[in-house]
Amino acid sequence: MKDGKLKSIYVCSNCGETSPRWMGRCPSCGEWNTMTEDVVMVESKATAAKRSASVATGRVQGQTSLRAERLADISTDEEKSRIVTGIHELDRVLGGGIVLGSVVLLGGEPGAGKSTLLLQLCGAISGSHHVLYVTGEESTRQIKLRANRLRVAQENISLVAETEIDEICGLIEQMRPDLVVIDSIQTMHCSDVSSSAGSVSQVKECSARLLAVAKSCEIPTFIVGHVNKDGAIAGPKVMEHIVDTVLYFEGDKTLPYRILRGVKNRYGSTNEIGMFDMTGTGLTEIENPSQLLLDGRPLGISGNCVACTMEGTRPILSEVQALVTKSGFGTPRRAASGFDFNRTNLLLAVLEKRAGYFFANLDVYINIVGGLDLNETACDLAVCLAMASALMDKPIGDKTIAIGEVGLAGEIRNVTFLENRLREAQRIGFTKAIVPKHSLKQLELSEFSDMELIGVSYIRDAIQAIK
């Protein structure tokens, strides 16, 4: 039995700062409402004094067992340092594959498909690699049933249902698998920490021990992390700092599409996304998201316009829908799904002030089809044209795309990667593009001989182009 007593402390989930009492604002990082209660074992004064005396033995100056390597002698062979999974959307987000010794934290809403994705990953590489799947939420029989439903290869996949982190680390060091999956970190606990599983101290300690084993044995490790009501991964923020890669699996449970997005990646870009379709037999890759998002688009209907957003190096076309109706209340309603609400109000003000189209007594609704969020300002022009089209009840051409940022003066400003956006639109079959006039000088017009490029300087010019 440990020599000490239990004591309640409050730990900041953002920075790990501790306090003997609850505070609304963390004194270290300044975040509000991040102090959560935790129970720890406090040593007695006698035990602490003995431990301090045993530790304070000193060290001999200039002596160490560490050996440093020359940077020039360290191998960086991509084929040896990465595992290519064969799931191209996952490899894209990871930067080309799984780096040996890396620790990847995967978060997402309940039911998004985190366990499904990782089990399919295990099956994809099991032909040439040995995988250890550690579950703390399900039994091995339940994992077997899911594997049968997903039709994954099972020969080189080992399962264990365990929550004691020291036992898990010992098993990893004994088996030396090529990949480890921990599902999930909130169910793991360390016997040295007296608090319950899922607490800040438990999650922090368990993550640190898994990280130490992964780095020392060069075994890539995937850790599943639950999210709280704010959408952030539950547990201390320091957990996201110590891992190599943080991925979020996004998607509305009512829609089949899922987006894998990297918010931190030491071995690749954080701008890339992977798109999947949730089916009855698991997740399937979406290699042509633009075509999928535009399938079933109504033709010849007012209030519809196609925009193009860049997700990393990938251009994705998406349909913008606008509906303008007479308001039945004194204050008109404004609603936006998939587009920033404040940006919508800004663009409405520009249309009224600079173009003379008034929405003062009208309800305005904006919807981005497919569940994709258009956070890029390059989609401003498409949203404005959709709202103007809905107001005038005049359809925009079915093969027309609009690309451009709208300023407060009503000017249409340049956007990045315009050539890539136009190539994607031309590949899908669009024949007309409304773009910033200043950008035409930077384009190789011979590449877009099948498209009519209309350069506009102000929002009024763009609206005239669709009349």
Side-chain angles (χ1 to χ4, degrees):
M1 187 174 179
K2 294 183 179 179
D3 185 10
K5 61 180 181 179
L6 296 177
K7 180 182 179 181
S8 292
I9 62 172
Y10 292 87
V11 185
C12 175
S13 60
N14 187 59
C15 66
E17 178 72 16
T18 60
S19 171
R21 60 184 178 85
W22 182 86
M23 290 182 289
R25 186 180 187 185
C26 175
S28 178
C29 64
E31 292 291 328
W32 289 91
N33 299 322
T34 57
M35 305 297 287
T36 57
E37 187 177 7
D38 201 357
V39 180
V40 297
M41 180 72 71
V42 180
E43 294 179 338
S44 64
K45 293 183 179 179
T47 304
K50 290 180 182 179
R51 183 168 57 81
S52 299
S54 62
V55 172
T57 56
R59 64 177 180 84
V60 179
Q61 185 176 2
Q63 291 188 5
T64 179
S65 60
L66 296 177
R67 291 293 179 266
E69 294 183 76
R70 286 202 317 163
L71 183 61
D73 297 336
I74 299 176
S75 173
T76 58
D77 188 355
E78 285 289 331
E79 294 183 359
K80 296 180 180 180
S81 62
R82 288 184 185 266
I83 299 175
V84 179
T85 67
I87 305 176
H88 302 299
E89 297 297 303
L90 178 60
D91 289 336
R92 175 200 298 271
V93 178
L94 291 175
I98 306 172
V99 177
L100 297 183
S102 63
V103 179
V104 181
L105 180 61
L106 176 62
E109 294 285 341
K114 304 183 294 297
S115 300
T116 301
L117 175 64
L118 292 181
L119 191 55
Q120 288 186 241
L121 164 64
C122 295
I125 68 172
S126 62
S128 56
H129 299 84
H130 183 209
V131 181
L132 175 62
Y133 194 107
V134 182
T135 174
E137 300 178 345
E138 302 173 276
S139 66
T140 54
R141 185 179 298 274
Q142 290 172 319
I143 300 295
K144 171 72 173 180
L145 291 174
R146 188 192 302 131
N148 290 338
R149 177 173 59 85
L150 299 178
R151 302 169 186 168
V152 301
Q154 305 175 17
E155 292 299 324
N156 289 328
I157 302 177
S158 300
L159 295 179
V160 61
E162 181 58 57
T163 58
E164 169 58 46
I165 197 64
D166 290 330
E167 293 289 335
I168 295 171
C169 291
L171 180 62
I172 295 173
E173 293 172 338
Q174 178 185 349
M175 293 182 60
R176 294 294 179 112
D178 298 315
L179 179 71
V180 175
V181 174
I182 306 294
D183 189 7
S184 66
I185 190 63
Q186 279 77 19
T187 61
M188 303 297 152
H189 71 91
C190 176
S191 58
D192 297 340
V193 182
S194 57
S195 58
S196 60
S199 62
V200 172
S201 55
Q202 284 281 10
V203 171
K204 179 180 178 181
E205 183 63 25
C206 292
S207 301
R209 298 194 183 190
L210 288 172
L211 177 71
V213 173
K215 296 300 181 183
S216 61
C217 301
E218 284 201 338
I219 300 175
T221 303
F222 279 77
I223 300 175
V224 175
H226 296 315
V227 297
N228 53 31
K229 61 182 180 181
D230 298 326
I233 296 178
K237 201 71 175 177
V238 68
M239 179 175 63
E240 298 186 32
H241 295 317
I242 64 175
V243 301
D244 301 305
T245 305
V246 179
L247 306 178
Y248 276 89
F249 209 40
E250 307 170 355
D252 192 339
K253 288 185 289 186
T254 61
L255 296 174
Y257 309 130
R258 300 290 187 268
I259 296 177
L260 183 65
R261 191 184 304 274
V263 298
K264 174 188 176 181
N265 192 354
R266 289 174 177 162
Y267 313 112
S269 172
T270 57
N271 295 323
E272 298 290 352
I273 68 166
M275 295 195 67
F276 298 87
D277 185 12
M278 178 66 80
T279 65
T281 56
L283 294 163
T284 59
E285 300 177 69
I286 301 176
E287 299 180 356
N288 193 354
S290 297
Q291 187 68 53
L292 182 68
L293 292 173
L294 294 179
D295 276 347
R297 182 166 58 103
L299 305 178
I301 302 298
S302 63
N304 282 21
C305 189
V306 176
C308 183
T309 183
M310 293 294 297
E311 293 288 355
T313 58
R314 169 189 283 182
I316 298 179
L317 304 187
S318 185
E319 179 188 355
V320 179
Q321 292 183 332
L323 181 63
V324 178
T325 62
K326 186 177 180 181
S327 177
F329 302 95
T331 303
R333 290 199 60 190
R334 306 282 189 262
S337 175
F339 193 74
D340 184 64
F341 176 75
N342 294 324
R343 191 75 183 172
T344 302
N345 289 330
L346 183 148
L347 296 178
L348 283 172
V350 172
L351 284 173
E352 291 194 355
K353 181 69 175 179
R354 305 301 182 186
Y357 293 88
F358 296 98
F359 300 83
N361 60 341
L362 300 172
D363 293 339
V364 180
Y365 303 93
I366 300 295
N367 178 49
I368 308 302
V369 179
L372 198 67
D373 290 334
L374 300 187
N375 300 317
E376 206 180 5
T377 55
C379 303
D380 288 351
L381 183 57
V383 174
C384 286
L385 293 183
M387 291 190 292
S389 169
L391 179 65
M392 299 182 297
D393 197 19
K394 183 177 180 61
I396 300 175
D398 299 328
K399 298 296 184 181
T400 301
I401 186 173
I403 305 170
E405 179 183 353
V406 178
L408 291 181
E411 78 278 14
I412 309 301
R413 308 183 70 90
N414 295 339
V415 299
T416 57
F417 303 109
L418 181 59
E419 286 190 12
N420 295 347
R421 300 174 200 261
L422 291 175
R423 287 194 193 101
E424 177 71 6
Q426 185 173 248
R427 186 181 67 83
I428 297 298
F430 285 82
T431 58
K432 184 177 179 181
I434 302 176
V435 298
K437 188 174 183 178
H438 305 289
S439 302
L440 294 177
K441 303 176 183 178
Q442 307 168 6
L443 296 176
E444 189 65 37
L445 299 181
S446 59
E447 294 185 18
F448 309 105
S449 57
D450 297 333
M451 293 187 71
E452 179 188 0
L453 300 181
I454 302 177
V456 293
S457 300
Y458 293 93
I459 188 63
R460 292 190 302 269
D461 306 330
I463 296 175
Q464 288 293 329
I466 65 173
K467 283 187 175 180

